[in-house]
Amino acid sequence: MMFSLTGKTAFVTGGASGIGLAVAKVLAASGARVVIADLSDGAAAAAEFGGEYVGIDVSSESSVREALEAAVSRVGKLDVVVNNAGVGDIGPVITETEQGLIDKVTRVNHFGVMYGLKHAPQFMNDGGSIINTSSMASFINMPGSAVYSAGKRAVNSLTEMAALELGERGIRVNAVCPGYIDTAMGSGEEGRALCEAFTALGRPGTTDDVAGVFLFLASDASRYVSGESLRVDGGWHCGPTPRLLEKVIGTANVS
Ligand SMILES: NC(=O)c1ccc[n+]([C@@H]2O[C@H](COP(=O)([O-])OP(=O)(O)OC[C@H]3O[C@@H](n4cnc5c(N)ncnc54)[C@H](O)[C@@H]3O)[C@@H](O)[C@H]2O)c1
């Protein structure tokens, strides 16, 4: 019962594919009426699980507000808002990063969450839950991903700030920080090889691996959790794995 969302409503940006779609499905399966909001057409994806679709460009403040209005007109005031839409463009080193990439990644990943936090509360019931999709990259720096990492660290900061400001209404605000997840953004041989070497669990995650964490944060099971940025990275953050040590120094233990 703690995980039930019966009678609740949810709004998921970037819900037409990848992590957002998996989250939308698990929230719907747990009883919520779900609206997915995406730049890409998500009508067919939403129909498959009995949800609704509205268009949105999270990098535009007016679009975020309009999408929230449209969602409320379909399902009523919102209980769960997932600011998940993002782009994974990774640049070259800082000194060679072009303005176009700085603008695009910052506008979607950082400003998009800011606009969601600014406008969603007016469309939410007290006692609701906001979940922002951050990234493991907000904690662990990989050379070449400065703009992405900085934007995701900003998401963690906004998460704490909004948790403070919305606590009076009983609205909790948390972030999920996935490691490499097998989606259009996170898939590929490079990600797989890195996860085999760097994660305690020795593999990339699937969207189902991460969706349950969003359900936890959306539901009463996490009712005293707010302002948290929760890592879901297969244990990447714990330190060098035995497999990595074997490769670097020829033994799995430092003696
Ligand atoms: N896949 C990973 O390895 C990984 C790891 C850490 C964090 N993340 C984060 O997870 C979130 C979801 O990524 P994903 O892996 O599911 O990727 P994805 O590409 O499958 O999904 C991203 C979705 O966001 C939508 N989108 C992009 N720009 C948008 C915009 N301006 N307005 C509205 N929608 C927009 C896309 O159309 C797409 O449906 C992102 O915030 C990403 O940074 C992903």
Side-chain angles (χ1 to χ4, degrees), residues 17 19 38-40 57-58 84 133-135 148 152 178-179 181 183:
S17 70
I19 293 171
D38 205 298
L39 198 56
S40 307
D57 177 356
V58 299
N84 165 78
T133 305
S134 178
S135 172
Y148 184 83
K152 291 298 188 182
I181 306 298
T183 66

Side-chain angles (χ1 to χ4, degrees), residues 201-233:
L201 296 180
R203 64 171 178 84
T206 66
T207 56
D208 285 342
D209 288 332
V210 78
V213 179
F214 285 79
L215 173 60
F216 165 67
L217 292 172
S219 72
D220 263 6
S222 62
R223 61 183 171 241
Y224 202 55
V225 181
S226 197
E228 190 62 61
S229 293
L230 193 52
R231 289 176 283 210
V232 188
D233 63 2

Side-chain angles (χ1 to χ4, degrees), residues 77-156:
K77 280 187 107 174
L78 302 168
D79 298 295
V80 178
V81 170
V82 184
N83 294 312
N84 165 78
V87 289
D89 306 43
I90 304 296
V93 292
I94 292 173
T95 50
E96 291 167 23
T97 303
E98 289 179 4
Q99 190 61 40
L101 184 137
I102 298 170
D103 281 347
K104 179 181 175 191
V105 175
T106 304
R107 286 184 189 285
V108 177
N109 292 3
H110 178 173
F111 293 2
V113 172
M114 178 68 201
Y115 299 146
L117 291 170
K118 178 175 174 184
H119 292 286
Q122 300 154 63
F123 298 95
M124 291 180 73
N125 291 311
D126 289 356
S129 170
I130 300 177
I131 307 163
N132 302 319
T133 305
S134 178
S135 172
M136 172 184 83
S138 65
F139 294 110
I140 292 172
N141 298 307
M142 298 276 275
S145 57
V147 185
Y148 184 83
S149 282
K152 291 298 188 182
R153 197 171 282 198
V155 170
N156 299 357

Side-chain angles (χ1 to χ4, degrees), residues 195-203 233-239 241-243:
C195 288
E196 282 170 6
F198 283 91
T199 64
L201 296 180
R203 64 171 178 84
D233 63 2
W236 185 312
H237 67 276
C238 300
T241 62
R243 291 179 301 283

